[in-house]
Amino acid sequence: MDHTRFVFLCIIKVTDKQSMSKNLVERIRNHDRRAMSELYQQYVGLLSSVCYRYVPSEDDAKDILQNSFVKIFTSLPQFEYRNEPSFEGWMVRVVVNEALHFLRDSKRLQFTDIQEAAAQLTDEEDPDTEHISADELHQLISQLPVGYRTVLNLYVFENYPHKRIAELLGIKEASSASQFHCAKRLLTKRIKALLNKRR
């Protein structure tokens, strides 16, 4: 499957939300608790979905989210606000980093042996994803082995190159690429299996 097409298949739409204003950021910098609450309500949905992409456990994801908001609020004075997309991207990176710290500290970040996995998987053609929902896709991704899921998330959703992923996870660049390739093949296989059940 072509990487570009695969990325397109994995994009999950984010629900509409009110635009973030520089005024809100300034109010938070001035310790306005109401502004903090407004920011939380505005972004909790998006940032929760980021947590669950990396850590499907509800309790663990809630802890990561709470720690992330603490870091966001305490780091905001040093953040240079340019526009809403850059602000949103910065918050997502905070959450991703917190999730990776959790996976490393809890020793859950393990990688599947590529030779063993490759022997069990065959190359699959693109599945028909027209009749699969974003929630179903998210569920299938959450069921991938932790190493596969983490590399796939970093590559597809965070748009990190394999060199950067390797640095973040302490693995070789080639290992990151291999983990992604196997994740893609396994996910494609499971999407097809889900669609076949409906026939």
Side-chain angles (χ1 to χ4, degrees), residues 32-114:
D32 184 332
R33 291 190 173 274
R34 181 175 291 181
M36 289 180 168
S37 177
E38 288 175 22
L39 181 138
Y40 177 86
Q41 293 300 325
Q42 186 164 319
Y43 286 102
V44 66
L46 169 64
L47 300 183
S48 291
S49 70
V50 175
C51 287
Y52 284 114
R53 282 207 317 263
Y54 289 88
V55 182
S57 164
E58 183 175 355
D59 289 340
D60 293 335
K62 285 181 178 179
D63 288 342
I64 293 168
L65 185 65
Q66 180 178 344
N67 292 339
S68 297
F69 270 108
V70 169
K71 287 202 171 181
I72 287 168
F73 291 135
T74 56
S75 302
L76 201 53
Q78 291 78 42
F79 177 75
E80 183 182 348
Y81 183 90
R82 295 174 185 170
N83 51 46
E84 185 177 350
S86 69
F87 180 61
E88 183 178 295
W90 172 69
M91 289 193 293
V92 167
R93 286 192 297 276
V94 170
V95 174
V96 169
N97 288 336
E98 281 299 302
L100 294 180
H101 284 311
F102 170 82
L103 290 172
R104 280 192 296 263
D105 291 348
S106 61
K107 302 189 186 305
R108 298 185 192 186
L109 195 53
Q110 299 177 350
F111 298 95
T112 304
D113 181 87
I114 295 301

Side-chain angles (χ1 to χ4, degrees), residues 9-14 129 131-141 157:
L9 294 176
C10 287
I11 291 177
I12 297 178
K13 294 181 180 179
V14 177
T129 57
H131 302 293
I132 186 170
S133 70
D135 285 342
E136 288 171 324
L137 181 59
H138 173 82
Q139 183 67 23
L140 290 174
I141 291 173
F157 296 101

Side-chain angles (χ1 to χ4, degrees), residues 3 18 26-27 29 46 56 58 64-65 69-70 77 85 98 116-117 119 121 159 161 171 178-179 184 186:
H3 282 195
Q18 298 176 0
E26 290 301 325
R27 287 168 55 204
R29 286 174 174 163
L46 169 64
E58 183 175 355
I64 293 168
L65 185 65
F69 270 108
V70 169
E98 281 299 302
E116 178 183 339
L121 295 171
N159 295 311
I171 59 178
S178 297
Q179 292 285 325
K184 181 174 65 172
L186 181 56

